[in-house]
Amino acid sequence: MPPLPAAGSERIEMSRKYVRVAVDAMGGDLAPAEPVKAAVEALEKRKSLHVTLVGQEEVIRAELAKYKYPEDRLEILDAREIIEMSEPPVNAIRKKKDSSIVRGLKLVKEGTCDAFVTAGSTGATLAGGQLLVGRIRGIERPPLAPLMPTAKGPVLLVDCGANMDARPSQLVQFAQMGSIYMKNMTGVENPRVALVNVGAEEEKGNALVKEVYPLLKECEGINFIGNIEARDIPAGEADVVVCDAFVGNVILKLYEGLASTLIHKIKDALMSTLRSKLGALMIKPALKGMLKEFDITSYGGAPMLGLRGLVVKTHGNSEAVEIRNAIEQCILFKKKDINGQFIEKMGLEQPKKADEKETASSEKDTSGNTAASEN
């Protein structure tokens, strides 16, 4: 298995040939088995993919021994430390410099990899994304933006965990980035953008949404359709749903919890009597198809939008299928040049070198505005 390529012509050649994704092999409840399996499956499906597994080398090699894989497209970066879910995010990023999350994020910062995928600590990933990878110049705050299933196809929830106390101008940027991302990643033309509120009327809501509403109405380049109540999100009444991370995380967790409860209740009811069991056999194909449509793991992970490189966070209990889909998500992100579109369509300036002031600013305000929760 070859070492990581040095800077220079070899790296440039690899960049042209492959989409390079770093995968946290030690992050999540099911690591290293599921991240390693996901990487191998993704390599089998995508010939344009190169994967770097980041973590304890001997542990990764033990897992890889179970599979056949293209050795020329898979590398290991040894990282001895692991950031636990319970650790304070910013302190963990600063102290555990040899952790899989920090080493993976640095691969993106240095340009060795195009993206980093992790099921590890949400807080550390969000803090590290800002501190290490850094924001595109002009982006105020990068939001976490997962796709969620609805009756009419996926909806993008922006923000669901990165910025607990967002300003109006930041929510406008969330809407702009969300619209660009949704159009390019899902093929939805002219995505409908809505603002989460307690009512559909413009005059309703708290001070934040009242101030954001007219800004979104005037914002060029987005199809703003007004306010949306939470009950209308599962019905698919919008394609991009904008809110601060506190509201977004409540929506996300309720969404996931309710779906899980309903599935368990349906299964219990179908298996309760002989008659219901016979009925279950008859409806099984249709039910299976419906459940597949609402399978959140099929959408991959939640990207941090607006960073200089792509960082994707999957659930802490992610199995291989979700991590694999997140890896494939990174391929499309690069192919569509999403960051380039942010810069062009939002009128942002992209400097030739990293803006040190932006990075310093990120470090100052990251500690008070990281993860809404640990997944």
Side-chain angles (χ1 to χ4, degrees), residues 31 44 49 51 82 96 147 149 179 181 189 215 228 260 268 278 346 354 357 369:
E44 289 176 355
L49 174 67
V51 171
I82 300 172
K96 291 191 171 181
L147 285 169
S179 183
Y181 183 88
E189 290 295 331
L215 296 178
I228 188 169
S260 177
D268 289 345
L278 292 172
M346 295 173 64
K357 291 182 181 179
N369 230 322

Side-chain angles (χ1 to χ4, degrees), residues 58-77:
E58 68 281 4
V59 176
I60 295 172
R61 288 193 183 279
E63 284 297 323
L64 283 173
K66 303 174 184 178
Y67 306 100
K68 290 183 179 180
Y69 56 91
E71 293 192 17
D72 61 324
R73 292 192 287 119
L74 189 146
E75 295 170 348
I76 297 173
L77 177 62

Side-chain angles (χ1 to χ4, degrees), residues 130 135 139-144 159 162-163 174 304-307:
Q130 291 205 57
R135 295 169 290 181
I139 295 295
E140 296 182 33
R141 289 280 180 82
L144 201 59
D159 179 9
N163 305 286
F174 295 174
M304 285 185 74
L305 302 180
L307 295 180

Side-chain angles (χ1 to χ4, degrees), residues 2-289:
L4 289 170
S9 59
E10 190 176 352
R11 180 188 292 179
I12 293 169
E13 180 61 29
M14 184 176 287
S15 176
R16 290 171 179 167
K17 190 174 183 181
Y18 299 118
V19 175
R20 304 154 302 163
V21 179
V23 177
D24 182 2
M26 313 308 293
D29 302 335
L30 305 177
E34 296 303 302
V36 171
K37 181 181 178 183
V40 172
E41 289 179 352
L43 286 168
E44 289 176 355
K45 287 186 67 178
R46 303 287 185 170
K47 303 305 179 186
S48 62
L49 174 67
H50 182 282
V51 171
T52 299
L53 289 169
V54 187
Q56 296 170 1
E57 185 171 357
E58 68 281 4
V59 176
I60 295 172
R61 288 193 183 279
E63 284 297 323
L64 283 173
K66 303 174 184 178
Y67 306 100
K68 290 183 179 180
Y69 56 91
E71 293 192 17
D72 61 324
R73 292 192 287 119
L74 189 146
E75 295 170 348
I76 297 173
L77 177 62
D78 188 42
R80 307 310 304 173
E81 296 178 299
I82 300 172
I83 295 177
E84 304 294 341
M85 296 290 190
S86 58
E87 293 184 69
V90 177
N91 286 341
I93 289 294
R94 288 172 175 163
K95 292 179 180 179
K96 291 191 171 181
K97 298 187 184 299
D98 196 31
S99 64
S100 55
I101 289 179
V102 171
R103 296 294 299 275
L105 289 169
K106 283 186 175 179
L107 289 176
V108 177
K109 177 184 179 180
E110 295 160 0
T112 303
C113 289
D114 301 298
F116 176 58
V117 175
T118 179
S121 166
T122 304
T125 302
L126 295 174
Q130 291 205 57
L131 292 173
L132 300 176
V133 179
R135 295 169 290 181
I136 294 171
R137 189 179 184 187
I139 295 295
E140 296 182 33
R141 289 280 180 82
L144 201 59
L147 285 169
M148 305 191 308
T150 76
K152 299 177 182 177
V155 62
L156 189 72
L157 178 65
V158 199
D159 179 9
C160 83
N163 305 286
M164 299 286 283
D165 299 301
R167 294 192 294 269
S169 57
Q170 292 162 4
L171 263 65
V172 172
Q173 286 194 340
F174 295 174
Q176 291 175 303
M177 288 190 287
S179 183
I180 294 167
Y181 183 88
M182 193 68 181
K183 178 180 177 179
N184 286 276
M185 296 296 286
T186 68
V188 175
E189 290 295 331
N190 203 26
R192 299 163 298 163
V193 178
L195 179 65
V196 177
N197 204 339
V198 295
E201 298 83 1
E202 183 175 350
E203 64 274 10
K204 285 195 173 181
N206 59 18
L208 175 63
V209 296
K210 285 180 179 179
E211 191 172 345
V212 172
Y213 193 103
L215 296 178
L216 290 176
K217 278 179 69 176
E218 297 168 6
C219 183
E220 296 182 4
I222 66 169
N223 177 20
F224 181 57
I225 62 171
N227 290 324
I228 188 169
E229 295 181 83
R231 66 185 176 190
D232 294 321
I233 297 173
E237 296 304 313
D239 303 304
V240 179
V241 172
V242 178
C243 55
D244 62 50
F246 184 90
V247 173
N249 201 259
V250 171
I251 291 171
L252 178 65
K253 294 299 172 58
L254 178 60
Y255 218 94
E256 294 174 341
L258 181 59
S260 177
T261 300
L262 285 174
I263 289 170
H264 284 300
K265 286 291 186 182
I266 291 169
K267 285 182 178 179
D268 289 345
L270 290 175
M271 301 304 291
S272 61
T273 66
L274 178 59
R275 177 183 286 184
S276 65
K277 288 177 182 178
L278 292 172
L281 287 173
M282 297 177 68
I283 67 168
K284 185 177 179 181
L287 184 61
K288 193 173 181 180

